[in-house]
Amino acid sequence: MVAESTAMCSCVRSSRALSPVLLPRLLLPQTGYRLAGRSLWTTPHCMAVSGDSQLLPLPSQARVVICGGGVVGSSVAYHLAKMGWTDIVLLEQGRLGAGTTRLCAGIVSVAKPLSIECQMANYSNSLYQQLEEQTRVKTGYVNTGSLCLAQNQDRFISLKRLASRLKVMGISCNIIKPKEIAKLHPLVNIHDLVGALHLPADAVVSPPDVNHALAVAAAGHGVQILERTTVQQVLVEKGQVLAVETDRGSIECEYFVNCAGQWAYELGQASEMKVSIPLHGCEHFYLLTKPLRETLQPNMPVVLDMDGRIYARPWQGGLLSGGFEKNPKPIFTEGRNQLEIQNMQEDWDHFEPMLSALLRRMPGLESAEILQLVNCPESFTPDMRCLMGETPGVSGYYVLAGMNSSGLALAGGAGKYLAEWMTYGYPTANVWPLDVKRFGNLQSSRTFLRHRVMEVVPLLYELKVPRWDFQTGRQLRTSPLYDRLDTQGARWMEKHGFERPKYFVPPGKDLLSLDQSKTFYKPDWFDIVGAEVKCCKEAVCVIDMSSFTKFELTSTKDQALDLLQHLCANDLDVPVGHIVHTGMLNERGGYENDCSVVRLSKNSFFIISPTDQQVHCWSWIKKHMPSDPHLHLEDVSWKYTALNLIGPRAMDVLAELSYVSMTPDHFPSMFCKEMSVGYANGIRVMSMTHTGEPGFMLYIPIEYALHVYNEVMSVGQKYGIRNAGYYALRSLRIEKFFAFWGQDLDTFTTPLECGREFRVKFDKDTDFLGREALMQQRQDGVSRRFVMLVLEDHDTELDLWPWWGEPIYCNGQLAGATTSSAYSYTLERHVCLGFVSPPPGPDGLPTPITPDFINRGDYEVDIAGQRYPAKAKLYPFSSLFTQQKRRKDEMELSNLHGK
């Protein structure tokens, strides 16, 4: 990640050498609209110019209004116009590009933590390179390449993992040694480096010029761009965007796009119907030097020294260098108080650690002269990912903001995907990790955002090993059992603001060492989770799964059933008490939601969805609900505590507490009964566990939660009961080939691609969303399949572990990537789930995949550049576990004979 921050700057000029101490404090006056003596751009004829005595007239209506004339808003306008949209109005409260685009560091790098971000940055790179030819506007594009440095082995491993993912996307990259670093960038001190990732296609640009080029291109396609026009609020009628109210009048419109950057949160809150856009501002610093004695060539590689928390790029013969400090300074917590760029106070004491890190990395800069120190605000989100998509609750209100210091690198690709989203109803790539609907109103607290941003900024460059967790903004949503479980050694993770147990530390274990355990190898919790899995297999465990999203859909007649039959691929017209696993599909046949639905009564249904689907699933259902006062959807997530009793003795525990037989004969699989458990009535008991293991889910009214839990634990003592966490659940579900939405399934995955065609009502003459696409796919054949890969010749103790996103090779050719992985304590092997595809045909088009391709292929999984052989399976349930049991029996027999 690199800084592309901006806005308000303060300047320091000195003839002294670059030194972290006793730097002069000579402030230079800001000279109009210029940076280092260089004018930003000439305003295109279609725009209202800041110096004009008369602004262009405000149109009374438009199809879409975009708020924000920075590189993000200009990109959205450009791509919408390019896709054929007309009547587009782009509004800027000040001058075009005078917000966070003005002083961007100008680095366009694909070194991003998420694959979708890498794709966006890769597209942006190509776009910015082509803009000069399209518009004849110089963008300052220089192909410099970049060097991501590693000061330790863990960082080097993370870079190798990134390199593997980039190769899957066809992005050129190389892992290089320190000596090669020195050849590419002579200023870099390599004495403490173990290697680097070289990204030869990375580039630098002039951000204002890119903004100018996008605006010129957009205007050439008919976009009307108005400066000095402030959006005050968005008017909404019946949940639909109606108009935009500005300080110069109103514009009626169908769509509104909030690209207000630093002010996107305030604009969302100021709208007639409040829209949650969780981001917060923070100060960001970078330094400019005068040209060096030996002028730094403009094509010298960008340096990303994440262990040193700094980045550096060539700039006008000198250097531009900034970073992400451990102690960031949040700003604007009280709200909007700046219209345009104003000076912000420089803070050399605050910048000193980054300056020291720069001098350690490039000692030759000791004699360099300082030109400017820039202090500018940047907006950050609670999870370091940008916010994009249609907002929940207001149809036609879109957002693209919160770029986390990667605005320039992501703007091109993000603008393209958002334009596709608005045009087709969906983007051409899976952008769920960036979808604004991953958040709800609970993340809109200013206090939460201020505290979280202080953690997010340093995390941008910190080494993040698998399964790391945020530390701020915690205990926001908790189960009634939280304190009880915490005293029993629960270690917590957070999902959608909800605390969930990872595992339980037994008495006597070193809690501190476990909490600080960070590794790409075998983790310290390995044996703890193994014991929980063993208990799930042989006795009974309890997992608090209260975070699940829970809805109730009711109607007076058949309206609820009719809606679900339209939304769900599986048949919901089942007897009362039956549970149906089903997907809610889009028109392409992809999963918008994967859920379990219980028919509570003839016209009442209980819908259980993944935790992070709460906002998305609600929006999807409401979007397709008819306006009928007799049809009602209620979010009851907070009303029920969910306990998962897993294991063969679960039926004994419940039978003793309810005086009802819980055997399969009396309580069949995938069935729900409302029962008494202990003294508590109205407990919804369901014969499923989400793991493939025997057991029951208990949905308990929250006032009874503690009583039921205590009773279960008390009675369960004789059966060897213990608490377990989500890590055990993950191991169990992956070894049983259970796919989870958001990890394995997404809006582009169809039931036919993941072996779930048996959950599609093809045999019923019922139309449902996605049916036509699935029928066509069934006729044409699928071009990829969801597979299980069991690693061979992989040493769990010594080798790097697979986690997710590892490339899959078949017969030496790239075939796909893993989506989730876990160690199977039953198989005593690592198991990866993922998608594979055969090579394209001679015409370059995808070819149908066959079971023969999967069963006869020689598979390998690439873990940080090291390939491990693997056995691929489509339906592994019986064969794998039978083989494992036979192998154990043979070992026991040989041991017996040995004695």
Side-chain angles (χ1 to χ4, degrees):
M1 295 215 189
V2 293
E4 284 133 13
S5 322
T6 62
M8 321 152 198
C9 81
S10 41
C11 310
V12 175
R13 184 182 298 274
S14 170
S15 59
R16 296 188 185 184
L18 201 62
S19 171
V21 293
L22 299 177
L23 287 163
R25 299 299 203 270
L26 177 62
L27 287 176
L28 293 181
Q30 190 171 341
T31 55
Y33 200 29
R34 304 171 70 84
L35 170 61
R38 181 165 173 266
S39 179
L40 290 185
W41 64 70
T42 303
T43 309
H45 71 278
C46 64
M47 307 173 199
V49 185
S50 56
D52 287 352
S53 58
Q54 187 174 1
L55 298 177
L56 293 178
L58 192 76
S60 60
Q61 61 182 27
R63 188 180 181 197
V64 56
V65 173
I66 302 167
C67 175
V71 69
V72 172
S74 298
S75 176
V76 173
Y78 164 77
H79 285 95
L80 282 174
K82 193 176 177 183
M83 297 180 75
W85 285 56
T86 56
D87 297 326
I88 302 170
V89 174
L90 175 63
L91 303 179
E92 167 55 46
Q93 66 175 350
R95 291 167 291 185
L96 201 68
T100 55
T101 300
R102 182 186 173 200
L103 299 176
C104 281
I107 302 170
V108 185
S109 175
V110 294
K112 307 296 175 189
L114 297 177
S115 294
I116 184 62
E117 293 176 328
C118 297
Q119 293 173 42
M120 287 179 174
N122 194 42
Y123 173 83
S124 297
N125 191 318
S126 301
L127 174 65
Y128 301 159
Q129 191 174 11
Q130 297 163 8
L131 275 176
E132 287 192 15
E133 184 178 341
Q134 291 179 19
T135 64
R136 297 183 180 178
V137 174
K138 294 289 185 182
T139 61
Y141 183 94
V142 181
N143 175 211
T144 59
S146 65
L147 293 167
C148 302
L149 309 181
Q151 294 185 25
N152 53 67
Q153 286 297 333
D154 278 344
R155 176 70 70 181
F156 203 32
I157 290 168
S158 74
L159 294 177
K160 289 178 180 178
R161 288 176 59 85
L162 173 59
S164 295
R165 286 195 290 110
L166 292 174
K167 288 175 182 176
V168 171
M169 291 178 272
I171 297 174
S172 176
C173 60
N174 305 290
I175 295 294
I176 61 175
K177 297 178 180 178
K179 287 183 179 179
E180 296 171 88
I181 299 171
K183 291 178 182 177
L184 290 168
H185 203 307
L187 283 180
V188 173
N189 175 16
I190 63 171
H191 81 279
D192 60 342
L193 300 179
V194 296
L197 171 63
H198 180 217
L199 301 165
D202 280 359
V204 298
V205 296
S206 168
D209 292 333
V210 169
N211 198 158
H212 182 198
L214 285 168
V216 168
H221 283 85
V223 175
Q224 190 173 1
I225 303 174
L226 301 176
E227 296 179 308
R228 302 296 189 188
T229 306
T230 301
V231 174
Q232 295 176 331
Q233 67 169 330
V234 178
L235 304 180
V236 178
E237 186 176 273
K238 296 180 180 179
Q240 170 70 45
V241 168
L242 178 67
V244 174
E245 194 172 278
T246 78
D247 59 346
R248 298 175 54 205
S250 296
I251 307 174
E252 292 184 7
C253 60
E254 300 174 51
Y255 300 91
F256 175 74
V257 187
N258 185 338
C259 298
Q262 200 73 42
W263 318 121
Y265 175 94
E266 281 76 16
L267 181 56
Q269 295 296 303
S271 297
E272 196 172 54
M273 181 179 289
K274 287 187 178 182
V275 173
S276 175
I277 303 174
L279 55 79
H280 197 289
C282 204
E283 293 184 23
H284 179 70
F285 298 85
Y286 64 81
L287 182 77
L288 299 172
T289 75
K290 289 184 177 181
L292 306 183
R293 288 177 184 173
E294 292 187 15
T295 302
L296 203 60
Q297 295 302 310
N299 62 349
M300 190 67 69
V302 172
V303 173
L304 307 177
D305 184 1
M306 289 176 277
D307 295 314
R309 298 186 172 279
I310 57 168
Y311 59 86
R313 59 153 288 188
W315 186 80
Q316 297 187 7
L319 200 77
L320 181 158
S321 179
F324 298 98
E325 62 274 34
K326 289 184 178 181
N327 57 331
K329 300 168 71 174
I331 48 175
F332 305 152
T333 303
E334 295 77 19
R336 181 173 179 161
N337 57 11
Q338 301 266 357
L339 176 65
E340 257 192 43
I341 297 176
Q342 304 293 335
N343 282 346
M344 287 179 65
Q345 185 176 0
E346 90 285 0
D347 189 339
W348 281 102
D349 291 333
H350 191 80
F351 188 71
E352 190 276 333
M354 288 177 283
L355 182 54
S356 296
L358 175 63
L359 293 173
R360 283 194 300 271
R361 184 55 52 216
M362 297 181 180
L365 295 178
E366 287 280 0
S367 58
E369 293 183 39
I370 303 165
L371 178 66
Q372 293 179 342
L373 177 67
V374 178
N375 177 6
C376 49
E378 179 59 277
S379 56
F380 299 88
T381 63
D383 61 359
M384 300 181 290
R385 304 171 185 176
C386 75
L387 305 167
M388 68 183 301
E390 189 172 20
T391 59
V394 182
S395 179
Y397 191 125
Y398 287 80
V399 62
L400 181 54
M403 309 307 284
N404 299 282
S405 255
S406 290
L408 182 72
L410 301 182
K416 170 180 176 284
Y417 287 136
L418 190 72
E420 291 173 347
W421 206 330
M422 296 174 67
T423 303
Y424 308 124
Y426 59 89
T428 55
N430 175 32
V431 297
W432 166 248
L434 312 177
D435 194 328
V436 68
K437 289 187 287 295
R438 71 188 186 273
F439 292 121
N441 288 327
L442 61 94
Q443 285 95 356
S444 287
S445 158
R446 270 302 193 184
T447 304
F448 166 81
L449 290 171
R450 181 181 176 87
H451 291 176
R452 176 57 66 86
V453 79
M454 294 177 71
E455 180 181 12
V456 160
V457 172
L459 272 174
L460 289 171
Y461 271 12
E462 275 185 17
L463 180 68
K464 292 174 282 293
V465 299
R467 313 263 180 105
W468 62 273
D469 300 294
F470 286 108
Q471 301 303 309
T472 55
R474 298 295 296 269
Q475 299 184 36
L476 184 60
R477 302 172 71 199
T478 61
S479 156
L481 307 178
Y482 178 85
D483 290 336
R484 184 89 163 81
L485 300 179
D486 196 56
T487 59
Q488 296 181 74
R491 285 293 163 276
W492 301 95
M493 59 192 288
E494 174 256 332
K495 189 81 165 180
H496 198 58
F498 212 112
E499 297 294 329
R500 312 198 302 182
K502 296 187 288 189
Y503 52 80
F504 287 77
V505 180
K509 282 280 185 179
D510 186 346
L511 305 186
L512 185 61
S513 66
L514 274 169
D515 288 342
Q516 295 177 344
S517 173
K518 296 179 180 179
T519 180
F520 290 100
Y521 291 88
K522 177 183 174 182
D524 289 347
W525 44 256
F526 179 82
D527 292 331
I528 294 174
V529 174
E532 292 178 3
V533 168
K534 180 180 173 65
C535 188
C536 288
K537 296 275 189 180
E538 298 176 359
V540 58
C541 275
V542 181
I543 303 180
D544 185 348
M545 299 179 68
S546 302
S547 67
F548 271 179
T549 296
K550 301 172 277 286
F551 299 144
E552 285 184 0
L553 183 68
T554 57
S555 61
T556 53
K557 294 183 180 178
D558 291 335
Q559 299 97 322
L561 176 62
D562 292 342
L563 175 61
L564 289 176
Q565 287 289 66
H566 175 64
L567 287 178
C568 298
N570 211 342
D571 187 11
L572 270 297
D573 192 5
V574 295
V576 171
H578 282 245
I579 306 170
V580 178
H581 280 321
T582 182
M584 291 185 184
L585 311 181
N586 52 43
E587 291 180 352
R588 306 182 310 280
Y591 283 93
E592 289 291 338
N593 182 28
D594 186 43
C595 55
S596 300
V597 182
V598 185
R599 191 167 195 176
L600 299 175
S601 67
K602 186 175 186 295
N603 299 317
S604 178
F605 296 85
F606 188 59
I607 303 169
I608 306 159
S609 294
T611 303
D612 54 4
Q613 278 272 284
Q614 187 169 13
V615 178
H616 178 73
C617 184
W618 175 271
S619 300
W620 184 255
I621 296 174
K622 293 291 283 187
K623 180 180 179 180
H624 294 90
M625 274 182 70
S627 180
D628 186 340
H630 303 295
L631 180 63
H632 180 64
L633 179 69
E634 182 184 2
D635 187 341
V636 295
S637 300
W638 62 275
K639 287 186 176 182
Y640 294 93
T641 295
L643 292 183
N644 195 352
L645 267 65
I646 306 176
R649 307 312 298 268
M651 67 176 70
D652 299 311
V653 174
L654 281 183
E656 194 166 329
L657 282 170
S658 62
Y659 293 96
V660 173
S661 176
M662 303 298 292
T663 63
D665 292 338
H666 296 88
F667 205 126
S669 178
M670 300 299 292
F671 198 75
C672 174
K673 291 181 182 178
E674 198 165 279
M675 299 170 51
S676 297
V677 178
Y679 297 152
N681 291 317
I683 312 301
R684 293 174 182 173
V685 180
M686 304 178 192
S687 51
M688 65 175 184
T689 63
H690 304 283
T691 64
E693 299 296 330
F696 302 89
M697 285 292 304
L698 277 62
Y699 285 88
I700 309 159
I702 56 171
E703 64 266 32
Y704 301 143
L706 195 57
H707 167 75
V708 172
Y709 173 79
N710 288 338
E711 290 295 298
V712 166
M713 293 302 287
S714 177
V715 170
Q717 292 302 313
K718 69 181 77 170
Y719 302 108
I721 199 168
R722 66 179 292 168
N723 292 299
Y726 273 79
Y727 284 10
L729 183 84
R730 182 184 180 91
S731 176
L732 291 167
R733 73 95 177 167
I734 287 178
E735 73 178 16
K736 289 294 180 69
F737 211 173
F738 278 31
F740 272 22
W741 197 95
Q743 298 175 46
D744 310 300
L745 309 178
D746 58 39
T747 55
F748 288 86
T749 307
T750 72
L752 276 63
E753 293 169 345
C754 58
R756 291 182 169 201
E757 52 265 44
F758 64 93
R759 292 182 183 169
V760 179
K761 51 193 174 202
F762 285 124
D763 56 338
K764 295 203 69 172
D765 188 22
T766 305
D767 191 26
F768 59 89
L769 273 176
R771 178 185 174 90
E772 188 176 332
L774 294 186
M775 294 294 285
Q776 187 65 48
Q777 191 179 50
R778 190 159 70 158
Q779 179 181 325
D780 298 342
V782 298
S783 59
R784 64 173 190 157
R785 280 300 300 265
F786 190 54
V787 298
M788 169 187 278
L789 295 159
V790 183
L791 295 191
E792 305 286 335
D793 297 330
H794 179 270
D795 192 322
T796 303
E797 299 289 334
L798 301 177
D799 291 331
L800 286 169
W801 277 30
W803 297 96
W804 59 272
E806 292 84 11
I808 301 170
Y809 290 85
C810 178
N811 302 327
Q813 289 187 303
L814 182 66
T818 65
T819 52
S820 55
S821 303
Y823 181 80
S824 168
Y825 294 88
T826 308
L827 300 175
E828 297 178 354
R829 295 281 190 280
H830 260 99
V831 175
C832 303
L833 306 182
F835 288 89
V836 296
S837 303
D843 55 1
L845 296 175
T847 56
I849 194 169
T850 63
D852 190 60
F853 171 81
I854 293 169
N855 295 329
R856 295 196 176 187
D858 290 326
Y859 284 88
E860 295 172 301
V861 175
D862 181 324
I863 306 176
Q866 178 72 39
R867 296 187 190 180
Y868 296 91
K871 297 293 184 184
K873 299 289 180 181
L874 278 174
Y875 299 99
F877 304 101
S878 59
S879 59
L880 276 177
F881 289 96
T882 302
Q883 292 170 11
Q884 180 67 13
K885 184 177 185 303
R886 187 183 301 122
R887 185 161 65 245
K888 283 188 173 182
D889 291 344
E890 289 172 354
M891 288 177 62
E892 290 174 3
L893 190 61
S894 63
N895 289 338
L896 184 63
H897 290 163
K899 292 178 181 179

